Amino acid sequence: MSKVLKEQIDNMEMLCQDVFKMTIKSEYVAANALPGQFVNVKCGGIDALLRRPISICDVDKAKNTFDIVFQIKGNGTEKLCHKCAGDVDIMAPLGNPFLIDDKYKNICVVGGGIGTFPLLYLLKSSKAENKTALLGFRTKAAVVLENQFRAAAQNVEIATDDGTYGSKAFVTDLLEQRILELSKLGQKLDLIYTCGPTPMMRKVAAIAEKNNIACQVSMEQRMGCGIGACLVCACKTKQGEDEWGFSHVCKDGPVFWSTDVCWE
Amino acid sequence: MNKVDLSVKIAGIDFKNPLIMASGTYGFGKEYSEYVDLNELGGISVKGLTLKERKGNPPPRIAETPAGILNSVGLQNPGVDAFIKDDLPFLKQYKTKIIANIAGNTIEEYCEMAEILGSSEIDAIELNVSCPNVKAGCLAFGTTPKGIEEITSNVKKYCKQPLIVKLTPNVSDIKSIAMAAEAAGADCISLINTILGLAIDIHKKRPILANNFGGMSGPAVKPIALRMVYEAAQAVKIPVIGMGGISTSDDAIEFLLAGASAVMVGTANFVNPLCPIEIKEGIEQYLKRYNYNSIYDIIGKLELN
């Protein structure tokens, strides 16, 4: 169950240009948040009326804190990045989380840009035997949280669009390579999790389907209420045979099975 | 100090307080019940219902604008029968009044829904002739006195519960529309529905909403809503439910002073699920401060300069 909470900001850190990590002290969220869930943050001011949905990047249960990492995209996040202390008004934790199950022994996360952030807490929470993180960024200066990912997964590979760091490739190319390498060893990924730009996730979903690997996607859409009442954050999904309908990213998602999403 | 009485009777229905949740912003109550005791609310107007299930418009369905939002959900709902079977029983657990908001493509559809709802446990019907986000019907009925009169008089014949007619602000003369609804037998009018608007993504050179235009709500629309509620309340004898940008008790009191017997809260719930409770408490404090005993002491008490 989620709650409306006023919690204290514990720390604020700029990770790279326009990307900030806010650490929030919250016993409730630290105890209840699951990987893939998000918080709906009041950024303040009547000109940033709606709360902003931001995914949970990490949780420290011992310290009763959690991290959100966000990029300045507009009015709301611009306001939020200036909050360094005091309290913050949140609704949390919200949304359908990633599935974590011991039966998936060999997992791989595929993240693009700001979509990489929710995958960190997922990797840290998963007890899979073999964990791979494939992370794509625009350029070297945008690569963040690399050490944290290296601590949370056995294999971490990074791609940049301009080749200034890691491989000059798309992160989806890394996924195809990884699947190929594993098949040479007679191994197979059991589950792929992905979050990032829609074209990237569509490609990841297609690769997963082609290779018969289960895949979970974390979708994004402009939200209103964040709890499933206003129905604005629609995502076209398959519902029964040959049927489709609009599910809602805030409550039915953000995490869906890739095969349930109608990729158009 | 004496306890103040917030109860209000509208079209024969006893609302325990004048706080009603606006259609389309509160779903069927379930989601908000995790945050708010629904027993504390005067009423809930449910998500707009149609005769058959509607999938709604493609996303994006929302755009934020200064102090407001544009939406174009397009009446996504499970249909009136599914609502009665699957959603109404949940709502009826609570001591709050349930208003069924209905929308259709034809007058016949509205009449059929009114008839179906007649044998359900809802407390009132809100005729949605003002949704700007669907292609056929709906808004078309609401923009002329003749259109309002025709649909209201027809639907009224099938209504077993009181009929509230929800008016659109997208008209040149709200008074004549309000009077037409009254003349045709409406028990109450509610206004305003959203104002038709547009938001553009300057980088893509396209509207942000997939449906291009959307309905505007939120604090930015309040002065327009307030003026229209005042004009409508002056023009009719039936009660008026006011809405449009209400997010604080001061906002709500303005609407009550302007002539609304009750208010609806919509967009503000997205920002603060507890706002209906805070508004209720704020109205109570206001009444106490000026030594009023009842909400009726302020309804319509605006004096023009």
Side-chain angles (χ1 to χ4, degrees):
Chain A
M1 198 177 126
S2 79
K3 287 186 176 181
V4 184
L5 300 161
K6 274 205 170 60
E7 304 289 34
Q8 287 294 311
I9 298 170
D10 197 53
N11 191 39
M12 185 72 162
E13 188 184 340
M14 189 169 99
L15 298 183
C16 70
Q17 172 100 42
D18 291 344
V19 176
F20 293 82
K21 181 172 90 171
M22 182 186 272
T23 303
I24 300 169
K25 190 116 188 150
S26 174
E27 208 172 309
Y28 187 77
V29 178
N32 293 287
L34 299 168
Q37 290 190 304
F38 65 94
V39 299
N40 220 1
V41 187
K42 203 165 164 179
C43 297
I46 207 163
D47 53 342
L49 187 66
L50 296 172
R51 290 168 181 270
R52 298 299 192 264
I54 301 176
S55 62
I56 293 165
C57 175
D58 202 0
V59 174
D60 190 330
K61 287 188 198 290
K63 288 186 184 159
N64 283 326
T65 62
F66 71 98
D67 295 341
I68 53 173
V69 179
F70 62 93
Q71 184 177 36
I72 298 178
K73 280 194 165 175
N75 233 339
T77 41
E78 168 72 41
K79 277 200 167 66
L80 194 62
C81 84
H82 294 296
K83 286 192 181 192
C84 296
D87 57 18
V88 61
D89 184 329
I90 57 171
M91 288 170 75
L94 297 169
N96 178 44
F98 287 118
L99 174 69
I100 294 181
D101 190 317
D102 291 344
K103 74 176 183 184
Y104 302 105
K105 304 210 181 317
N106 198 344
I107 64 163
C108 177
V109 305
V110 184
I114 59 171
T116 55
F117 307 144
L119 301 172
L120 179 62
Y121 183 40
L122 167 68
L123 284 170
K124 289 176 94 164
S125 305
S126 165
K127 292 187 176 66
E129 288 163 15
N130 200 346
K131 297 186 259 191
T132 300
L134 307 175
L135 311 172
F137 297 94
R138 266 182 308 107
T139 185
K140 184 179 178 183
V143 178
V144 294
L145 300 174
E146 184 186 349
N147 292 339
Q148 286 87 334
F149 274 99
R150 292 206 180 275
Q154 289 94 336
N155 321 293
V156 177
E157 286 181 60
I158 292 173
T160 49
D161 296 345
D162 61 4
T164 47
Y165 194 75
S167 319
K168 185 178 186 329
F170 291 124
V171 72
T172 48
D173 301 332
L174 298 185
L175 177 62
E176 285 182 311
Q177 280 169 27
R178 179 79 189 149
I179 291 170
L180 197 66
E181 284 163 15
L182 285 172
S183 78
K184 281 177 187 163
L185 300 168
Q187 294 173 20
K188 190 174 178 292
L189 291 174
D190 298 317
L191 183 56
I192 298 169
Y193 304 92
T194 185
C195 183
T198 303
M200 183 207 87
M201 292 199 291
R202 185 192 294 125
K203 186 83 197 285
V204 171
I207 293 168
E209 194 164 358
K210 197 178 96 189
N211 291 280
N212 204 18
I213 302 166
C215 178
Q216 291 208 307
V217 296
S218 179
M219 303 298 286
E220 191 177 37
Q221 188 50 262
R222 287 172 188 262
M223 284 184 194
C225 67
I227 61 172
C230 77
L231 310 183
V232 302
C233 55
C235 172
K236 200 170 179 178
T237 55
K238 292 167 193 160
Q239 296 178 359
E241 247 174 79
D242 302 327
E243 268 296 315
W244 65 271
F246 285 118
S247 295
H248 297 94
V249 171
C250 69
K251 198 178 186 190
D252 306 313
V255 177
F256 295 91
W257 288 104
S258 67
T259 46
D260 287 343
V261 174
C262 299
W263 300 97
E264 292 178 332
Chain B
M1 190 171 288
N2 292 339
K3 196 163 164 45
V4 292
D5 183 6
L6 290 186
S7 68
V8 61
K9 193 168 190 145
I10 297 173
I13 307 165
D14 290 308
F15 291 90
K16 69 175 73 162
N17 64 59
L19 272 297
I20 305 171
M21 300 307 103
S23 176
T25 63
Y26 224 66
F28 300 130
K30 200 169 265 174
E31 291 79 15
Y32 280 102
S33 70
E34 290 185 23
Y35 303 91
V36 180
D37 179 2
L38 303 185
N39 292 306
E40 296 286 314
L41 306 175
I44 297 170
S45 182
V46 302
K47 173 70 192 161
L49 302 166
T50 49
L51 192 55
K52 299 277 177 266
E53 179 197 0
R54 274 210 204 202
K55 291 184 193 297
N57 292 331
R61 291 176 173 183
I62 191 168
E64 195 177 70
T65 58
I69 55 171
L70 291 179
N71 90 81
S72 72
V73 174
L75 291 173
Q76 177 171 6
N77 81 97
V80 68
D81 290 320
F83 161 72
I84 292 170
K85 186 170 147 282
D86 303 330
D87 302 297
L88 189 54
F90 172 82
L91 285 165
K92 290 309 290 183
Q93 300 172 72
Y94 296 94
K95 289 187 178 63
T96 186
K97 300 298 176 186
I98 306 304
I99 301 169
N101 181 289
I102 60 170
N105 294 326
T106 63
I107 290 179
E108 290 71 31
E109 281 184 13
Y110 282 94
C111 292
E112 198 178 335
M113 277 188 275
E115 196 169 22
I116 292 168
L117 287 160
S119 54
S120 79
E121 286 187 283
I122 58 141
D123 297 289
I125 289 177
E126 185 174 48
L127 195 64
N128 182 351
V129 284
S130 42
C131 175
N133 294 324
V134 288
K135 285 196 178 74
C138 214
L139 181 61
F141 299 113
T143 49
T144 64
K146 195 167 168 292
I148 282 276
E149 197 160 344
E150 193 185 358
I151 195 162
T152 305
S153 59
N154 274 292
V155 175
K156 180 66 185 168
K157 287 183 224 158
Y158 293 86
C159 281
K160 290 208 175 65
Q161 295 94 344
L163 179 63
I164 303 164
V165 179
K166 186 170 184 177
L167 308 182
T168 173
N170 303 307
V171 294
S172 53
D173 179 20
I174 196 72
K175 295 189 292 291
S176 60
I177 303 272
M179 286 159 74
E182 180 178 47
D187 299 294
C188 171
I189 52 173
S190 60
L191 70 163
I192 61 171
N193 205 321
T194 53
I195 303 172
L196 195 59
L198 170 65
I200 296 172
D201 180 329
I202 60 165
H203 304 291
K204 293 181 181 160
K205 302 191 183 74
R206 283 174 176 274
I208 291 173
L209 300 176
N211 204 39
N212 298 322
F213 300 143
M216 185 176 171
S217 62
V221 311
K222 197 188 76 174
I224 298 171
L226 202 51
R227 185 265 300 171
M228 287 190 147
V229 164
Y230 174 76
E231 286 185 340
Q234 290 291 307
V236 298
K237 292 194 176 64
I238 52 174
V240 175
I241 299 172
M243 81 194 91
I246 295 173
S247 44
T248 67
S249 56
D250 287 10
D251 297 336
I253 291 162
E254 283 192 81
F255 276 84
L256 294 166
L257 289 169
S261 298
V263 294
M264 286 183 171
V265 178
T267 304
N269 288 309
F270 302 167
V271 185
N272 176 15
L274 301 174
C275 82
I277 309 300
E278 292 168 11
I279 292 173
K280 194 174 80 170
E281 288 166 358
I283 295 173
E284 247 164 13
Q285 282 166 17
Y286 176 84
L287 293 177
K288 282 177 186 166
R289 175 176 170 183
Y290 291 100
N291 288 316
Y292 295 130
N293 302 315
S294 143
I295 196 86
Y296 286 99
D297 293 328
I298 60 168
I299 293 171
K301 293 296 158 64
L302 173 71
E303 289 177 42
L304 290 190
N305 299 319

